[in-house]
Amino acid sequence: MFLDPLPAELVLHVLSFLPLSSLASIRSTSREWQEFFIAHEAVIYNKAAFFHGFTDQRTPILDIDAVKWDYSYRVVPEDELDWVELCKRRVRVRNAWKGLAPSMVSHIKMKLPRGPSIMTPYHVAVDEDRGFALVTCRERGLHLLDIDTGAILWGLRGWHVADCVGFGYSDGFFILERSEDTYEVWRLQELGPPPLELELNPNSAPDEQQLQESRWGVVGAVNTQYNYPRTVDQDMIDNLRVAFEPHALLHVPEPVSAFKFVYPTLVTSAKERAYVWDVCTGRVVEVIENLQEKTELGDAHPAPVVRPMPQLDVGNPVVIQQGVFNGVPGLLVMLQPLPQQEIEPPPTPSAELFLGPVEEVEHTDEHMFLMGRHLLKVFARAVPELRDLSGTFSPNAETTRLGGLVLEIPSFKMRFGRWRYTVRPRSGLWEDGSALVHHGLDVEERKWEPRKRNIAESFVEVHSSPNGLHLAVLLSGCRLIILPHFERLLNKKDVAGPHEREEALHNATLEIRLGSPRLGESMTMAYFWGDGGEGRIGVVTTNAIFVITLPCFPRAQTSFDKPPAIRIARVKDLMDPVCLSSVSYITLSDTGLFVNYEPRPDASGTTVDGEAIEPNATEVVDESAAANDMADGGAEKSGAEEEALRKWEEKFEESLEDLDRFWEEQAADQDGRDIILNPERPPFRPAISRLHAINFFPSLRTHD
């Protein structure tokens, strides 16, 4: 055959540049190719896995333990796995996220071994590698549950955890807000005590209240994981499947309005300052000051100052002076009371000048993002790496550099990006067995021009990609802004004045429109990584739950001559606007999307203008029942359920059709007045909240 004159090494090298779809086609062309693939199967599919970004291993024998660090237990079982099977599973997961492969909606019932389903989830964090989720509830309390069975394995009592409290989880640690100036740090029991070199600040040691709650949590975990044994011994405690123990108690110098935790760094933001903590040592390592300084880059206004912080006792407020630290000239921390600040009224929405109360915080190793209602400020971090292997901090010439404000983004711009993506009306395609409907997109190029009018939109959330390279910002009017490789934009040498900076930002930004700002509103979002540098973003609006797949953006580009290939899908069955308007959280994992979607109560609880009404129409009753039945993931739908879903989908399509009309009307309006939005939003109706998961790969774990 024609392969005989070619060395096998050369053929394998050529095949290493082909995607899996091409390999499948080549393999089926002839018997000779089939035999060649069988003889070199491990090498071929190892190279294919590397080509698609499924692994960084370059060996024919797959190291399962290494792969487990990258992927969910659902993809990597406990038994043997070869390169062919890994490629098949990763392709299935990738296609399922795009609506091209089977997936399903499931309801995770939070339950104890004795008793019915309980509690209404408010905030959710998922560790799919370990198979659990942390949930705070509207009835108080924090609960750790198995994401496959919903069984509660450990928790903190309601008197200790307030209702609707915020928390952050990352790499086996979680931060729990006890009060506006006190934060608890808990770590997984399986991690064990920290190394001796990571000495905890004595002022950040857990107090008796936290230790007592930990003892109660262990007793509760033994009861739930061993089904209420008659006697408890130390072996049971030591062999709990999962439990947390106190690590630290952080005393923040000022009341906190927003915080964000990504191990090992916690950022807490007050009105005028943001504090950066190393949670392993319980110490502040950096402070950003003058957050409310009226400043616009390129003008004469002084930029806020960012100063690095050595280890310090935060029992009292702090100020900074020049001095000597460990024999090295630098910044000296002086502990003394700060002058009392008078309470000021909230700033007016003059987004070019005022940040206002910080509502969201995001951070990477080199940047920090502080989001107000109408202004997003990006700061360069003073210390790129907060912590070395010893967990300590000492300023030196290599790690210390004064940071500062490097970018401001207002929320009221009518045009954010050069490339504008719009979900095309009536373009939804549903693949049999998928929980998603994928949609076509209309892409339009918009050249930059000076801003003439404003639109009264506000920021909802800001997230950086897990690798810290890209920025995603959600606006209230169903718009999502993507800024790939934002740091390269900040480092451009040819950007000097405000107009040049504004144009460069416009050319580097992608704008995604998910519906009309008159007929919908954004609720929340989440950002997660995919294979081969892909990004996945989940967005909830009052019309749909969207899954957006971003391509791997070339590192060298700061603007795009051609629009990057973006895919958008929506969850098919979770479409009730009333339920969507009460979603408070969405989180993504390797193979799942989790959301606290609230099915409607019985129609007898419906109210209009605060007055109860009797359900005198079968249509209303059926629609409410349909919301509950479809949320349970039932395979068969009744006629009433199909009719309810059809109405919700029609409302979604109306929002897409009104989107073009809205912007055409604004373009035709030449009076120059700002655009005031008054979006149509369903009333919030508190109900029994359920934790739902869209599973993109079935669980392989077995339970007794």
Side-chain angles (χ1 to χ4, degrees):
M1 68 175 185
F2 72 91
L3 287 176
D4 292 338
L6 298 176
E9 292 79 5
L10 180 58
V11 177
L12 293 173
H13 181 71
V14 172
L15 294 178
S16 68
F17 294 96
L18 299 180
L20 285 165
S21 57
S22 299
L23 294 179
S25 300
I26 293 175
R27 183 170 185 166
S28 61
T29 55
S30 66
R31 185 177 63 183
E32 289 80 3
W33 273 114
Q34 176 75 3
E35 293 174 351
F36 183 85
F37 269 73
I38 293 175
H40 302 87
E41 188 174 68
V43 176
I44 293 173
Y45 287 96
N46 167 244
K47 293 180 180 293
F50 184 84
F51 175 84
H52 285 277
F54 299 157
T55 183
D56 55 2
Q57 297 183 39
R58 306 294 295 266
T59 59
I61 300 177
L62 186 147
D63 185 350
I64 295 183
D65 292 334
V67 175
K68 286 180 180 178
W69 283 101
D70 298 326
Y71 296 123
S72 165
Y73 68 89
R74 298 180 177 182
V75 175
V76 184
E78 298 295 335
D79 53 3
E80 294 184 0
L81 182 72
D82 58 23
W83 288 114
V84 177
E85 185 62 25
L86 177 66
C87 288
K88 289 180 179 179
R89 296 184 180 192
R90 293 314 307 172
V91 169
R92 175 178 171 179
V93 170
R94 183 184 62 185
N95 290 338
W97 276 101
K98 299 175 182 178
L100 304 176
S103 56
M104 62 176 294
V105 178
S106 63
H107 166 213
I108 302 176
K109 297 181 179 180
M110 301 172 60
K111 58 187 178 181
L112 293 166
R114 300 177 182 178
S117 287
I118 56 174
M119 293 159 290
T120 58
Y122 174 76
H123 187 99
V124 182
V126 175
D127 189 330
E128 196 172 80
D129 294 336
R130 295 181 172 96
F132 67 75
L134 284 166
V135 181
T136 55
C137 301
R138 292 190 172 126
E139 299 87 355
R140 297 173 168 264
L142 179 143
H143 307 276
L144 185 149
L145 57 96
D146 185 294
I147 59 176
D148 289 326
T149 66
I152 294 179
L153 307 175
W154 180 87
L156 300 176
R157 292 176 291 180
W159 75 270
H160 187 77
V161 181
D163 59 317
C164 301
V165 71
F167 75 96
Y169 174 82
S170 179
D171 290 356
F173 286 75
F174 76 83
I175 308 293
L176 180 66
E177 180 183 3
R178 179 191 289 185
S179 65
E180 62 181 7
D181 58 359
T182 307
Y183 287 78
E184 297 179 358
V185 183
W186 296 73
R187 70 171 181 269
L188 270 175
Q189 191 179 75
E190 67 183 47
L191 299 178
L196 294 178
E197 60 268 20
L198 298 180
E199 181 181 357
L200 183 67
N201 181 4
N203 294 291
S204 298
D207 64 358
E208 183 58 32
Q209 177 181 337
Q210 192 176 359
L211 294 173
Q212 181 179 356
E213 188 64 19
S214 174
R215 289 190 287 269
W216 182 93
V218 169
V219 173
V222 170
N223 287 334
T224 57
Q225 296 184 37
Y226 290 95
N227 198 15
Y228 295 88
R230 293 184 177 180
T231 60
V232 178
D233 55 40
Q234 189 62 39
D235 287 340
M236 290 182 175
I237 297 176
D238 294 338
N239 293 298
L240 288 172
R241 175 187 158 189
V242 61
F244 282 83
E245 58 188 15
H247 176 77
L249 183 65
L250 307 180
H251 302 278
V252 184
E254 300 177 75
V256 173
S257 60
F259 72 94
K260 181 64 179 287
F261 171 56
V262 178
Y263 180 84
T265 303
L266 169 69
V267 176
T268 61
S269 177
K271 180 179 179 181
E272 295 288 348
R273 299 172 186 84
Y275 296 85
V276 182
W277 300 75
D278 182 344
V279 299
C280 294
T281 60
R283 303 176 188 273
V284 172
V285 293
E286 187 179 352
V287 171
I288 296 179
E289 300 191 74
N290 302 331
L291 302 184
Q292 303 298 336
E293 188 79 38
K294 293 192 298 182
T295 180
E296 193 171 8
L297 295 181
D299 291 8
H301 301 287
V305 178
V306 184
R307 297 188 175 97
M309 293 287 294
Q311 297 180 8
L312 62 122
D313 178 356
V314 293
N316 295 310
V318 298
V319 293
I320 312 298
Q321 292 184 1
Q322 294 291 332
V324 177
F325 179 69
N326 288 347
V328 180
L331 299 166
L332 186 64
V333 179
M334 305 295 294
L335 299 179
Q336 65 182 52
L338 292 173
Q340 295 295 323
Q341 299 283 340
E342 294 184 2
I343 299 178
E344 300 178 1
T348 58
S350 177
E352 293 181 328
L353 298 178
F354 293 100
L355 175 65
V358 177
E359 299 184 0
E360 289 282 339
V361 176
E362 180 64 284
H363 61 86
T364 66
D365 288 341
E366 297 190 0
H367 293 90
M368 184 181 301
F369 312 88
L370 301 178
M371 187 197 82
R373 185 170 179 80
H374 296 285
L375 183 64
L376 173 65
K377 287 189 174 185
V378 182
F379 293 88
R381 293 279 296 277
V383 185
E385 296 180 6
L386 297 179
R387 190 170 64 92
D388 58 22
L389 295 178
S390 66
T392 61
F393 169 81
S394 58
N396 56 63
E398 294 183 358
T399 62
T400 302
R401 58 181 174 85
L402 289 180
L405 182 66
V406 294
L407 182 64
E408 287 180 320
I409 303 177
S411 67
F412 48 71
K413 297 168 62 175
M414 288 188 61
R415 298 176 182 175
F416 271 96
R418 175 180 177 182
W419 296 106
R420 185 177 71 188
Y421 299 77
T422 304
V423 180
R424 187 182 307 132
R426 315 290 175 181
S427 65
L429 295 176
W430 177 64
E431 302 290 338
D432 188 25
S434 175
L436 304 182
V437 177
H438 56 94
H439 288 265
L441 299 178
D442 293 324
V443 185
E444 183 180 3
E445 183 178 12
R446 289 282 185 170
K447 299 295 185 180
W448 178 83
E449 60 184 32
R451 187 171 66 246
K452 299 178 181 179
R453 302 177 65 194
N454 298 327
I455 181 170
E457 275 189 283
S458 58
F459 289 124
V460 176
E461 285 194 42
V462 56
H463 289 282
S464 66
S465 59
N467 58 13
L469 298 178
H470 317 307
L471 184 65
V473 186
L474 182 64
L475 289 102
S476 59
C478 302
R479 286 200 290 176
L480 179 66
I481 308 304
I482 309 295
L483 187 55
H485 295 291
F486 65 90
E487 187 175 2
R488 290 185 174 271
L489 174 66
L490 306 179
N491 296 331
K492 290 189 70 174
K493 304 295 185 181
D494 56 342
V495 178
H499 288 297
E500 290 81 1
R501 185 172 59 253
E502 188 80 9
E503 183 176 4
L505 178 63
H506 175 90
N507 291 334
T509 303
L510 308 176
E511 178 180 341
I512 302 174
R513 296 179 175 179
L514 301 172
S516 170
R518 293 188 295 203
L519 300 180
E521 190 173 3
S522 303
M523 301 303 299
T524 185
M525 67 173 290
Y527 203 145
F528 199 71
W529 53 267
D531 294 321
E534 285 188 347
R536 295 169 185 157
I537 298 179
V539 175
V540 181
T541 72
T542 54
N543 290 313
I545 300 175
F546 294 94
V547 176
I548 301 165
T549 303
L550 304 177
C552 178
F553 297 111
R555 181 177 291 271
Q557 284 187 271
T558 55
S559 62
F560 300 93
D561 295 328
K562 295 182 179 180
I566 294 176
R567 298 186 66 99
I568 297 181
R570 63 170 171 86
V571 180
K572 182 176 185 292
D573 289 340
L574 306 185
M575 293 284 292
D576 185 352
V578 174
C579 304
L580 292 170
S581 66
S582 60
V583 170
S584 61
Y585 202 77
I586 182 174
T587 186
L588 310 182
S589 65
D590 180 30
T591 65
L593 180 153
F594 301 82
V595 62
N596 62 334
Y597 183 85
E598 301 195 3
R600 290 204 209 185
D602 184 78
S604 61
T606 305
T607 61
V608 175
D609 296 332
E611 297 182 2
I613 60 173
E614 294 296 329
N616 54 7
T618 304
E619 178 182 73
V620 177
V621 178
D622 289 341
E623 188 174 330
S624 298
N628 289 276
D629 294 340
M630 284 186 287
D632 284 334
E636 298 294 332
K637 296 184 178 66
S638 66
E641 293 169 355
E642 292 285 1
E643 179 64 17
L645 183 58
R646 187 194 64 78
K647 290 182 178 180
W648 300 332
E649 289 181 336
E650 187 62 30
K651 185 174 180 63
F652 168 74
E653 297 292 348
E654 290 176 3
S655 175
L656 298 182
E657 293 170 350
D658 184 69
L659 177 60
D660 289 334
R661 289 196 299 267
F662 172 80
W663 291 106
E664 288 173 1
E665 291 171 7
Q666 307 313 318
D669 189 354
Q670 302 296 326
D671 61 7
R673 293 180 299 177
D674 291 349
I675 304 169
I676 306 299
L677 295 177
N678 186 20
E680 175 184 315
R681 182 178 180 184
F684 174 81
R685 300 177 182 178
I688 297 176
S689 177
R690 307 182 185 185
L691 179 59
H692 288 85
I694 291 85
N695 295 315
F696 298 105
F697 201 85
S699 174
L700 299 173
R701 176 177 292 173
T702 59
H703 297 271
D704 297 333

